[in-house]
Amino acid sequence: MSAGAALLSVAGLVKHFPIRQGLVGTRPLRAVDGVDLELRPAETLAVVGESGCGKSTLARLLVGLIPPTRGEVTFEAKSVTHARGSWRRDMRRDLQIIFQDPYSSLNPRMTVGTIVERPLIIHRMGDRAARKEAVAELFRSVGLPVAFIGRYPHELSGGQRQRVAIARALATRPKLVVADEPTSGLDVSVQAKILNLLKSLQRQHALTYVLISHDMRVVRYMADRVAVMYLGKVVEITTKERIFIDPQHPYTQALLAAVPNTDPSRRAARAPVQGDPPSPLDPPAGCRFHPRCPFSRDICRTDEPQLLPHGEGHLTACHLVDEIRSLPAPGPMAAQP
Ligand code: SF4
């Protein structure tokens, strides 16, 4: 994709958090450690990986909620990272985020109507009467009764609170919404309704989504493309179809092995990944996945694989992609010493 076609671009993005060690020293926790991405208008890019892989930190970097240690996020060819003045205001209007836990992200002392109206006040969108009508319309569009406008968050169910969070994110008519695990913690039937709502709102408003998820079933339903993250890095990125039919990275294969497979065209699933990921305070040298990878060779312990094309629109960071693809499914992936 040419740079000009991208709605949002990420180049060399790094976020290290200093962690105190002992009495005087600090060490960097490498939450995001060199990510490059591009997003096309009106697509859904899912970012997947285990808990602690850096996907929620990436979500906050994308919308400018936290500054990167290095690298840059660009939205409509302007810097999010160095946004100032009126561009910073415009950017905050156009880039919105839906958090994982709607209860803690909604102010318990405000009515949900006020919560949804606040972005309109902050961005000076409409007079009081216009804002009231806009809030009522937002409630209708996310399937909440307008009569709920005067209620407080604790008076609503988890699914209803997430609908309030979605209405708040959409209030400023954003172009891009980052949804950070928007359905985790909700009942399966409520999850399906929220996902359907997000899809329908995307069609209506030509929204671009970044969907952060650890649930490959949600990804299969929602995504156009998928980026797989492991210990702060993207290890594979391609279309949703290719991820499910031809996963190339051993970590992606292991993630998919945990998902029930009803698609006969999908490659034989390998075993789910075993053990815990290493600490982002001390990531392994070479390929960060090598202590858990059943294909690991000497080169994997010393040389870091780069994210390179292996098929059209399919980038994978693994030294042995072609070799692994020619192998039959191996036994269980055991954590290696
Ligand atoms: Fe496994 Fe080596 Fe590929 Fe890393 S580079 S995923 S250790 S085969």
Side-chain angles (χ1 to χ4, degrees):
M1 181 173 60
S2 71
L7 180 69
L8 181 130
S9 304
V10 170
L13 203 62
V14 171
K15 183 66 183 179
H16 293 173
F17 295 102
I19 301 295
R20 189 172 291 281
Q21 295 268 301
L23 288 177
V24 286
T26 61
R27 285 171 74 192
L29 186 148
R30 300 163 188 271
V32 172
D33 214 13
V35 167
D36 299 276
L37 288 175
E38 286 197 344
L39 261 113
R40 307 174 179 109
E43 77 164 338
T44 298
L45 175 73
V47 179
V48 303
E50 292 164 293
S51 172
C53 71
K55 41 190 204 306
S56 287
T57 301
L58 178 64
R60 283 153 181 75
L61 290 165
L62 293 183
V63 295
L65 278 184
I66 53 174
T69 306
R70 285 195 298 282
E72 183 135 41
V73 179
T74 307
F75 178 68
E76 292 189 322
K78 291 187 192 166
S79 174
V80 171
T81 311
H82 304 292
R84 299 283 179 273
S86 63
W87 163 236
R88 187 175 175 80
R89 265 200 316 280
D90 292 351
M91 178 203 85
R92 292 218 177 278
R93 186 193 60 212
D94 289 342
L95 298 176
Q96 293 289 331
I97 185 164
I98 300 167
F99 292 102
Q100 178 174 349
D101 177 1
Y103 196 63
S104 61
S105 72
L106 302 178
N107 187 331
R109 287 184 292 276
M110 287 184 184
T111 65
V112 290
T114 306
I115 288 169
V116 173
E117 186 185 1
R118 271 190 68 78
L120 299 172
I121 297 171
I122 291 166
H123 291 284
R124 300 189 190 118
M125 296 173 75
D127 58 18
R128 190 176 166 80
R131 290 198 306 269
K132 295 292 175 208
E133 180 47 40
V135 169
E137 183 51 40
L138 283 160
F139 269 62
R140 283 190 283 269
S141 74
V142 299
L144 283 173
V146 175
F148 279 20
I149 281 175
R151 295 195 183 183
Y152 288 86
H154 72 269
E155 298 178 281
L156 274 54
S157 69
Q160 289 166 342
R161 284 196 290 266
Q162 195 56 297
R163 287 172 192 264
V164 172
I166 293 169
R168 175 178 61 182
L170 296 185
T172 57
R173 285 179 240 120
K175 295 174 181 167
L176 187 145
V177 175
V178 176
D180 186 1
E181 304 270 13
T183 58
S184 74
L186 300 177
D187 292 344
V188 174
S189 63
V190 181
Q191 276 188 24
K193 286 180 184 155
I194 296 288
L195 294 176
N196 285 333
L197 171 64
L198 288 171
K199 273 202 157 192
S200 136
L201 292 168
Q202 182 175 43
R203 279 193 296 272
Q204 283 172 43
H205 304 291
L207 287 167
T208 304
Y209 286 143
V210 177
L211 174 73
I212 309 291
S213 183
H214 68 280
D215 187 336
M216 296 304 277
R217 289 165 301 184
V218 171
V219 170
R220 180 151 49 190
Y221 183 61
M222 294 291 291
D224 297 306
R225 289 190 302 140
V226 181
V228 181
M229 276 189 84
Y230 186 77
L231 269 188
K233 288 182 175 285
V234 172
V235 296
E236 184 163 3
I237 182 166
T238 187
T239 62
K240 186 238 322 250
E241 290 74 21
R242 288 190 67 98
I243 278 286
F244 281 93
I245 292 169
D246 183 24
Q248 296 182 346
H249 196 282
Y251 178 60
T252 312
Q253 294 171 357
L255 286 180
L256 287 170
V259 183
N261 179 17
T262 54
D263 181 354
S265 66
R266 207 179 101 194
R267 280 168 56 81
R270 303 193 187 275
V273 69
Q274 304 290 311
D276 296 321
S279 168
L281 276 170
D282 192 17
C287 172
R288 292 178 179 202
F289 189 56
H290 85 251
R292 302 170 85 192
C293 179
F295 306 102
S296 176
R297 305 271 173 82
D298 286 349
I299 188 176
C300 306
R301 298 179 182 87
T302 53
D303 293 13
E304 183 168 1
Q306 301 304 306
L307 198 58
L308 296 173
H310 293 276
E312 196 183 337
H314 198 155
L315 304 176
T316 307
C318 172
H319 294 303
L320 305 172
V321 169
D322 295 331
E323 196 175 320
I324 290 168
R325 291 175 77 199
S326 67
L327 292 173
M333 285 192 173
Q336 296 181 357

